[in-house]
Amino acid sequence: DAGVIQSPRHEVTEMGQEVTLRCKPISGHDYLFWYRQTMMRGLELLIYFNNNVPIDDSGMPEDRFSAKMPNASFSTLKIQPSEPRDSAVYFCASSLTSTGVDGYTFGSGTRLTVV
Amino acid sequence: AQTVTQSQPEMSVQEAETVTLSCTYDTSESDYYLFWYKQPPSRQMILVIRQEAYKQQNATENRFSVNFQKAAKSFSLKISDSQLGDAAMYFCAYRSLYNTDKLIFGTGTRLQVFP
């Protein structure tokens, strides 16, 4: 398996523009998570899905952020409009089991810079 | 709510020596999972080692081992025979057995390895 695949690896955009981050989880994994990593706040869970259904989006910072999972093999995180404070590394992770023992498998992250 | 604390923002070790990274956590649950993740400069999050709380035996993976003290809620990572490739950020993480969806991370410890 190729692991969790995220695209793009880097994204530079201007303030006010729409940004879409993409994630392909490991085949068969039924949980998908979106995390944001910054120096100030560390790793923050934004939202997660189980069987394509959003379970907890309490970590989504504002209405400017939205996430979808239209099928088991694809998810997007969208920011519209983007702001400089959204600059961070965004990770997608997936998990096979709900028993917790396996932890997560992470993608390589998308480094977002909003100028 | 569970919390994870890593009190050492930075640590350093000489090649071939041993280093221990500290992690404490707070929970009212009796069963849970603990993990150490490594994040090298490539920013890929890599699972290093895991521990089930119901197991008294400390987990070991090659040069990596943990000292799990359940009563003290302590979960330290020992790296033996340190190598230059061990230089990275290390994150301690907690996952509940009951609410198994969320992985709660500490703030990380940056490990430097000197030749």
Side-chain angles (χ1 to χ4, degrees):
Chain A
D1 200 316
V4 176
I5 300 172
Q6 290 187 248
S7 63
R9 183 157 174 81
H10 304 277
E11 177 79 35
V12 180
T13 190
E14 292 186 347
M15 183 174 62
Q17 296 297 306
E18 177 180 295
V19 175
T20 299
L21 311 181
R22 297 173 176 79
C23 175
K24 176 179 169 55
I26 290 176
S27 177
H29 281 195
D30 55 352
Y31 281 84
L32 184 138
F33 306 83
W34 282 100
Y35 276 84
R36 178 171 68 176
Q37 185 179 30
T38 61
M39 288 292 292
M40 292 298 294
R41 302 172 71 92
L43 281 155
E44 303 173 275
L45 177 64
L46 300 177
I47 185 172
Y48 71 92
F49 297 82
N50 178 222
N51 292 320
N52 313 337
V53 176
I55 303 300
D56 184 351
D57 65 354
S58 61
M60 297 285 262
E62 299 170 35
D63 291 344
R64 298 184 296 105
F65 286 70
S66 63
K68 294 181 180 179
M69 192 165 186
N71 57 62
S73 59
F74 184 66
S75 178
T76 59
L77 178 67
K78 184 178 293 186
I79 308 172
Q80 165 63 24
S82 58
E83 297 183 3
R85 59 194 168 117
D86 302 331
S87 297
V89 178
Y90 291 81
F91 285 101
C92 175
S94 68
S95 174
L96 169 63
T97 174
S98 63
T99 62
V101 68
D102 291 332
Y104 298 175
T105 301
F106 282 81
S108 299
T110 295
R111 179 177 295 280
L112 173 65
T113 303
V114 183
V115 298
Chain B
Q2 296 85 15
T3 58
V4 177
T5 301
Q6 293 179 250
S7 58
Q8 306 156 316
E10 291 190 359
M11 292 284 285
S12 61
V13 64
Q14 237 174 344
E15 209 174 358
E17 297 295 309
T18 295
V19 65
T20 298
L21 308 184
S22 300
C23 173
T24 58
Y25 57 94
D26 187 26
T27 185
S28 59
E29 298 174 341
S30 59
D31 291 315
Y32 44 86
Y33 304 97
L34 296 165
F35 306 88
W36 278 98
Y37 280 87
K38 171 185 178 181
Q39 186 179 37
S42 67
R43 68 169 194 253
Q44 179 75 44
M45 293 285 282
I46 302 165
L47 179 63
V48 175
I49 198 166
R50 75 193 75 180
Q51 175 81 42
E52 290 98 319
Y54 62 85
K55 290 186 177 180
Q56 292 188 338
Q57 187 172 5
N58 289 325
T60 299
E61 290 286 342
N62 301 313
R63 298 182 295 106
F64 298 86
S65 62
V66 299
N67 183 7
F68 174 49
Q69 301 290 327
K70 190 172 183 179
K73 297 181 183 175
S74 171
F75 182 61
S76 60
L77 174 69
K78 185 172 83 170
I79 306 174
S80 304
D81 185 26
S82 297
Q83 300 176 358
L84 295 177
D86 295 333
M89 282 288 287
Y90 286 83
F91 293 93
C92 179
Y94 173 103
R95 192 171 190 182
S96 168
L97 183 64
Y98 306 104
N99 175 18
T100 57
D101 304 331
K102 297 182 182 180
L103 198 59
I104 300 168
F105 286 92
T107 52
T109 296
R110 181 173 300 281
L111 178 65
Q112 293 182 302
V113 182
F114 295 103

